[in-house]
């Protein structure tokens, strides 16, 4: 999984760089259109765009990860989703589904305080790490760390004989 994550991140990073170079040349040609094009209306949209554009690349990357974690957290609160959530979003070595929960449980939190604390810590160091690694490699590290820690959890559960499901990485 880790090799695939980093290989995919390298391809993604290459394609992003290629796209940025192409956009740079297209924007240079289209600058004159901005002067004659009418401005879009909507204050809320402008505020959201202004907020988003003022974020660092790391904060934008982590915003997506936080959104995924909040979405999964909300799914835990829906009674109709409990069975699916226990099957795919908890790590349990005695479960029939072993591989997908290794990744999906990374986004799973049951306590609001636990999720908020984890997301705050992730947000606090995101800018420096993403500027060092790039957003693609950071996501590969995040997902790989989740899968590896879940695997270690499986090994620890097998060694101790405790086979109850657990949440998180």
């Amino acid at each position: 999984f880790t090799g695939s994550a980093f290989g995919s991140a390298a391809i993604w990073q290459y394609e992003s760089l290629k796209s940025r170079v192409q956009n740079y040349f297209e924007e240079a040609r289209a600058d004159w259109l901005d002067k004659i094009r009418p401005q879009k209306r909507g204050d809320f949209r402008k505020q959201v765009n202004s907020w988003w554009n003022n974020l660092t690349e790391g904060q934008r990357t982590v915003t997506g990860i936080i959104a995924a974690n909040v979405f999964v957290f909300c799914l835990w609160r829906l009674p109709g989703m409990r069975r699916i959530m226990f099957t795919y979003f908890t790590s349990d070595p005695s479960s029939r589904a072993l591989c997908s929960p290794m990744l999906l449980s990374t986004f799973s939190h049951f306590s609001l305080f636990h999720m908020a604390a984890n997301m705050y810590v992730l947000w606090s160091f995101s800018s420096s790490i993403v500027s060092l690694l790039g957003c693609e490699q950071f996501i590969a590290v995040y997902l790989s760390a989740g899968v590896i820690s879940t695997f270690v959890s499986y090994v620890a559960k097998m060694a101790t004989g405790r086979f109850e499901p657990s949440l998180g990485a």
Side-chain angles (χ1 to χ4, degrees):
F1 177 83
T2 301
S4 296
F6 281 100
S8 299
I11 292 168
W12 181 19
Q13 208 165 20
Y14 168 76
E15 292 296 329
S16 294
L17 180 62
K18 186 171 97 175
S19 175
R20 277 187 256 167
V21 169
Q22 288 173 342
N23 286 341
Y24 174 77
F25 289 115
E26 288 173 8
E27 286 174 11
R29 281 186 282 144
D31 274 345
W32 65 274
L33 281 175
D34 288 339
K35 295 175 184 168
I36 61 172
R37 188 179 301 151
Q39 295 294 320
K40 294 180 181 176
R41 295 183 182 168
D43 287 335
F44 179 73
R45 182 177 170 175
K46 286 180 184 177
Q47 289 174 349
V48 170
N49 280 336
S50 175
W51 171 78
W52 183 257
N53 291 331
N54 287 329
L55 294 176
T56 65
E57 185 182 20
Q59 291 170 332
R60 283 189 217 135
T61 302
V62 171
T63 299
I65 293 172
I66 290 172
N69 279 278
V70 169
F71 180 72
V72 171
F73 180 78
C74 291
L75 288 177
W76 273 106
R77 302 298 174 259
L78 300 174
M81 293 296 294
R82 286 285 171 104
R83 184 170 168 231
I84 291 170
M85 298 305 289
F86 273 110
T87 303
Y88 295 106
F89 288 84
T90 59
S91 58
D92 183 2
S94 63
S95 173
R96 286 183 292 165
L98 287 178
C99 294
S100 56
M102 289 179 78
L103 175 63
L104 296 176
S105 69
T106 303
F107 299 98
S108 205
H109 298 83
F110 199 72
S111 160
L112 178 62
F113 176 75
H114 181 224
M115 182 186 66
N118 283 355
M119 297 304 105
Y120 173 75
V121 169
L122 187 64
W123 180 270
S124 68
F125 70 81
S126 63
S127 293
S128 57
I129 298 296
V130 171
S131 67
L132 180 68
L133 298 175
C135 73
E136 301 87 358
Q137 298 295 326
F138 173 76
I139 291 174
V141 167
Y142 179 83
L143 295 176
S144 295
V147 169
I148 290 168
S149 63
T150 303
F151 177 73
V152 171
S153 172
Y154 281 176
V155 170
K157 287 177 184 181
M158 295 297 285
T160 60
R162 296 175 30 193
F163 297 108
E164 66 266 357
S166 60
L167 293 171

